[in-house]
Amino acid sequence: MADALVVKDLSKMYGDHLAVDRIGFSVKEGEIFGLIGPNGAGKTTTLRIISTLLTMTKGDVWVCGNNMRTDPDKIRRCISYLPEDAGAYKDLTGRAYLKFMARFFSGGGGAERMVEDGIRIADLGDRIDSKVSTYSKGMTRRLLIARAIMPGPKLAILDEITSGLDVVNAFEIRDIVRSIAKDGVSVLLSSHNMFEVDQLCDRIGMIDGGRMILEGTPSELKERFNVSTVEEVFIKAAVRG
């Protein structure tokens, strides 16, 4: 199975502060890879670099075989990034919002099919024609995930996808993520919800102090630390790190 994402010796400096320190990992096609770590560990900085929103100080990133230093535009065409604080235009209906974004992503071609895919992914029923301002947080998140997935990215980068959601909405969002991975989309996600990471991710990488301190499948990491949950892995690894 080919790698959709390869990160090698990635570093990011903010003045004298080393936010990311020689991080390296890869994500295979159709794999869900979870990036975890304490607040301020460097997770969001890493996601933003991979999303081409920040420049790296050192290292290399390849997405779908394209090098970020030489082919950033090609990378932008095969990724989608959904930050934790993303929002939708509240005065538009869900359908109108997807249509607006589809015109932006499609460049005028294939917008109708993209909107149909977005409506299917969001699965909001009749509420797709209600204003976004009337949506619950869970409904808005479903719409935003639909917006991120409907262009057909090779790599979806998702930051705290279920933050603040109730149990039912979080379950449904995770189900959407599983389904897109089954369709061949690679997913790189960051989450503070260790239950979610355990249930959803094929592999996990943990960052602490800007460095990658462990990597493996949930079962491998639980066995390595002789614990029964990823939450316990997190705590033990952070203490040792």
Side-chain angles (χ1 to χ4, degrees):
M1 190 179 295
D3 290 324
L5 169 68
V6 177
V7 177
K8 183 178 180 182
D9 295 328
L10 181 65
S11 296
K12 177 64 178 178
M13 296 285 298
Y14 290 108
D16 295 329
H17 174 60
L18 184 59
V20 176
D21 184 9
R22 294 168 293 169
I23 283 176
F25 65 96
S26 63
V27 180
K28 298 186 181 302
E29 292 177 355
E31 182 178 41
I32 303 175
F33 188 97
L35 206 56
I36 65 173
N39 287 333
K43 303 184 302 298
T44 297
T45 296
T46 300
L47 295 186
R48 286 177 177 169
I49 292 171
I50 296 167
S51 303
T52 75
L53 297 178
L54 287 177
T55 57
M56 67 190 91
T57 303
K58 292 181 180 178
D60 272 302
V61 175
W62 291 266
V63 181
C64 302
N66 301 302
N67 184 273
M68 186 163 291
R69 293 188 181 277
T70 57
D71 295 307
D73 288 339
K74 288 183 180 179
I75 288 177
R76 291 183 191 110
R77 287 195 289 270
C78 67
I79 66 171
S80 185
Y81 175 47
L82 182 62
E84 179 182 6
D85 58 358
Y89 299 116
K90 294 188 175 182
D91 289 336
L92 295 179
T93 66
R95 186 189 301 273
Y97 171 72
L98 293 178
K99 283 183 177 179
F100 174 80
M101 298 306 295
R103 286 195 296 270
F104 175 77
F105 285 121
S106 69
E112 187 174 327
R113 177 202 56 78
M114 200 178 289
V115 171
E116 289 174 1
D117 287 344
I119 291 171
R120 175 182 53 79
I121 294 164
D123 194 22
L124 291 171
D126 293 341
R127 294 301 304 278
I128 195 69
D129 291 310
S130 300
K131 283 192 175 183
V132 175
S133 59
T134 68
Y135 285 5
S136 66
K137 187 169 183 177
M139 292 170 67
T140 302
R141 205 63 179 165
R142 293 170 76 101
L143 184 70
L144 289 169
I145 287 180
R147 183 269 293 168
I149 301 306
M150 69 182 188
K154 300 293 185 183
L155 174 67
I157 303 164
L158 311 174
D159 194 5
E160 299 292 347
I161 50 169
T162 61
S163 176
L165 299 186
D166 62 29
V167 173
V168 173
N169 278 300
F171 179 88
E172 291 174 347
I173 293 294
R174 287 195 291 269
D175 209 36
I176 292 172
V177 173
R178 287 190 191 96
S179 68
I180 64 173
K182 285 179 183 176
D183 288 339
V185 178
S186 303
V187 178
L188 172 61
L189 66 84
S190 176
S191 178
H192 283 103
N193 185 330
M194 295 301 104
F195 171 79
E196 176 171 279
V197 169
D198 199 347
Q199 293 291 307
L200 200 54
C201 297
D202 299 302
R203 286 189 302 127
I204 301 167
M206 180 172 176
I207 300 178
D208 196 9
R211 301 184 68 184
M212 185 76 80
I213 63 171
L214 62 83
E215 185 180 338
T217 68
S219 359
E220 286 170 350
L221 296 178
K222 286 184 282 188
E223 184 177 351
R224 174 177 162 187
F225 285 88
N226 193 28
V227 295
S228 57
T229 66
V230 170
E231 183 176 51
E232 293 169 289
V233 171
F234 180 100
I235 292 169
K236 288 194 172 186
V239 170
R240 291 182 186 183

